[in-house]
Amino acid sequence: MAEQKDIDAADWTDQDLLTRDEAAERLVAEIESTRNRLSDLESRAEDANVAASIEMNRRRLIAMQALQDSL
């Protein structure tokens, strides 16, 4: 007897997959958000506690831009 497919079962192979265009759009939005956050942090650069956050956000931005160039 042939196995029947459960029509109500979740089909994860077709769900939750991003196209390159969708991924690129999300990446552009995240890059913009990180740029804004970095700009805000840099405006408070005189605060010694902010230096680590500035460096972390700079590295994050560079990594995202490199990824964007590869898409």
Side-chain angles (χ1 to χ4, degrees), residues 16-54:
D16 296 334
L17 298 177
L18 291 175
T19 65
R20 284 181 181 243
D21 289 339
E22 291 169 326
E25 288 173 12
R26 291 183 184 190
L27 186 57
V28 166
E30 190 60 28
I31 287 171
E32 184 63 28
S33 174
T34 301
R35 279 187 183 138
N36 291 337
R37 187 168 38 253
L38 183 56
S39 177
D40 178 53
L41 289 168
E42 288 173 336
S43 72
R44 297 183 286 139
E46 68 279 351
D47 184 352
N49 297 325
V50 176
S53 293
I54 289 173

Side-chain angles (χ1 to χ4, degrees), residues 1-3 6 8 12 14-17 23 26 28-29 32-34 36-38 51 53-54 56 58-59 62 69 71:
M1 181 175 231
E3 218 176 283
D6 183 2
D8 293 327
W12 294 105
D14 290 338
Q15 296 178 7
D16 296 334
L17 298 177
R26 291 183 184 190
V28 166
E32 184 63 28
S33 174
T34 301
N36 291 337
R37 187 168 38 253
L38 183 56
S53 293
I54 289 173
M56 181 187 70
R58 281 184 182 151
R59 289 180 182 183
I62 289 167
D69 293 342
L71 289 179

